[in-house]
Amino acid sequence: MMTKVMAFGEALIDFLSNGQTGLDGQESFTKFPGGAPANVAVAVARLGGNSHFAGQVGDDAFGHFLKDSLESYGVKTDSMLMTKEAKTALAFVSLDSTGERSFEFYRNPSADMLFRREDFQSEWFYAPQGVFHTCSNTLTDANITTATMAGIVMAKAAGWIVSIDVNLRINLWPEHQVDTDRVIAWMRQGDVIKASLEELEVLANEPLNLIQELLAGGVSLFVLTDGGNPVRYFTANGQGEIAAPKVEVKDTTAAGDAFVGGLLYQLAERGGDRESLKAFDEAELQACIRFAVACGADSVTKAGAYPSLPNLEQANARLATF
């Protein structure tokens, strides 16, 4: 059986801007399924991986739309819960002329934030190999943080790789103030961490020092992105970088999630457990990250979240261009 990849966190509705339309300058939006962990789950499924989504949505029209959408892309939803206690989260995403995004969230509380530690089931971590993926949006209050950390404990006990995408959305935090201690404590539990330089600069005065501190504490791989600049990666044995291919950027909505999905797909294909990850040599690391870069680069050439995520053939075709 293929190694399981389980992405945990929020599935929400992205209302994506269609740009300014009409003489009155009114901005219109189209509904897309989204949420960073859900995007990652779809990215893995699109590549042919054994992808699962764990989290909670509202038992409402939007929640059912998200469940149906995930399943239509091949994501297994046996660990996806529904509740009548809160509505499904919404995000309105505006784009500028370069495809960069700004977000306005309707969440707090939303259904995803009501997932609790006891909602995790031991049978979800049934195999000795797997990848458990989390994002920082499940740290914005104490209860969902506790649930996130409980999932990480269960994944580690099963020998799974713990993946962390920092993916800071500052306007989701109370008073727009990120609890940096909480985020860094969560990062310390990861085996693989992906962050942007901009995100690290929010968390630490010396970002590279933080990376080295995390590696010394047991993190196996830290991947650092910086817009269109080369992707840098760090391990306890050294560092390297991978340049991205030049592409025509249409929409960056799913770029980071496509990158992470590509990376997790590769980790799952190459063992999917913590011990195999520690044994990776330089060639294996570079192959994994180049594939992830290709997935991210391919996604920005298309609009939307799920629809822009490449399948294996498209990812390999993009990989062949650099």
Side-chain angles (χ1 to χ4, degrees):
M1 180 178 290
M2 290 188 296
T3 299
K4 182 175 179 179
V5 177
M6 182 162 62
F8 169 67
E10 76 279 3
L12 50 77
I13 302 295
D14 279 335
F15 283 100
L16 188 62
S17 173
N18 296 318
Q20 300 295 329
T21 59
L23 296 177
D24 57 2
Q26 291 290 329
E27 190 173 13
S28 60
F29 295 83
T30 300
K31 176 181 70 175
F32 289 96
N39 292 345
V40 168
V42 172
V44 173
R46 286 277 290 159
L47 294 167
N50 179 17
S51 180
H52 296 246
F53 176 77
Q56 185 163 249
V57 294
D59 188 3
D60 53 32
F62 288 138
H64 286 278
F65 169 73
L66 289 169
K67 186 173 187 292
D68 291 344
S69 296
L70 286 167
E71 291 173 350
S72 74
Y73 278 90
V75 177
K76 299 175 182 66
T77 59
D78 49 307
S79 47
M80 182 178 186
L81 310 181
M82 288 190 160
T83 181
K84 293 185 180 297
E85 293 183 26
K87 296 292 187 181
T88 301
L90 309 177
F92 287 83
V93 187
S94 294
L95 300 175
D96 66 17
S97 60
T98 68
E100 286 299 321
R101 304 160 295 165
S102 62
F103 292 85
E104 189 68 41
F105 290 96
Y106 289 77
R107 180 180 184 250
N108 193 30
S110 54
D112 58 291
M113 296 180 69
L114 300 185
F115 190 102
R116 295 293 178 256
R117 62 184 304 166
E118 57 268 22
D119 291 326
F120 277 111
Q121 305 298 313
S122 58
E123 58 264 28
W124 294 355
F125 303 91
Y126 58 79
Q129 295 87 29
V131 181
F132 181 65
H133 177 67
T134 63
C135 298
S136 68
N137 293 345
T138 58
L139 304 176
T140 56
D141 82 355
N143 289 323
I144 192 62
T145 299
T146 299
T148 302
M149 300 305 282
I152 288 173
V153 168
M154 294 175 77
K156 284 190 167 185
W160 286 27
I161 294 169
V162 173
S163 163
I164 281 176
D165 181 6
V166 175
N167 196 39
L168 284 181
R169 295 287 177 259
I170 293 174
N171 53 350
L172 283 179
W173 290 80
E175 309 301 324
H176 293 187
Q177 294 296 312
V178 175
D179 186 333
T180 56
D181 290 342
R182 180 185 291 175
V183 173
I184 292 172
W186 161 71
M187 293 169 71
R188 293 186 200 281
Q189 302 305 311
D191 297 301
V192 175
I193 300 176
K194 179 260 180 186
S196 70
L197 181 59
E198 182 180 11
E199 289 162 347
L200 284 195
E201 288 171 343
V202 173
L203 299 174
N205 291 327
E206 298 290 342
L208 297 183
N209 288 349
L210 175 59
I211 292 173
Q212 293 306 319
E213 178 188 333
L214 291 165
L215 292 170
V219 171
S220 294
L221 173 64
F222 196 109
V223 181
L224 183 65
T225 61
D226 183 18
N229 294 320
V231 173
R232 288 182 279 175
Y233 62 92
F234 304 81
T235 69
N237 298 321
Q239 59 183 290
E241 64 177 44
I242 303 291
K246 299 298 182 184
V247 296
E248 183 177 345
V249 176
K250 183 172 183 180
D251 179 5
T252 62
T253 298
D257 301 325
F259 177 95
V260 172
L263 180 60
L264 300 190
Y265 170 79
Q266 286 291 317
L267 296 181
E269 288 290 291
R270 295 167 185 266
D273 64 273
R274 300 177 77 203
E275 293 307 311
S276 67
L277 174 63
K278 292 175 183 176
F280 275 18
D281 60 24
E282 183 71 11
E284 286 179 300
L285 282 175
Q286 287 215 1
C288 289
I289 295 166
R290 286 186 76 247
F291 183 85
V293 168
C295 290
D298 192 77
S299 75
V300 303
T301 65
K302 294 162 279 187
Y306 296 5
S308 73
L309 297 165
N311 61 29
L312 189 57
E313 181 180 359
Q314 292 166 334
N316 283 330
R318 188 68 62 181
L319 185 62
T321 67
F322 71 106

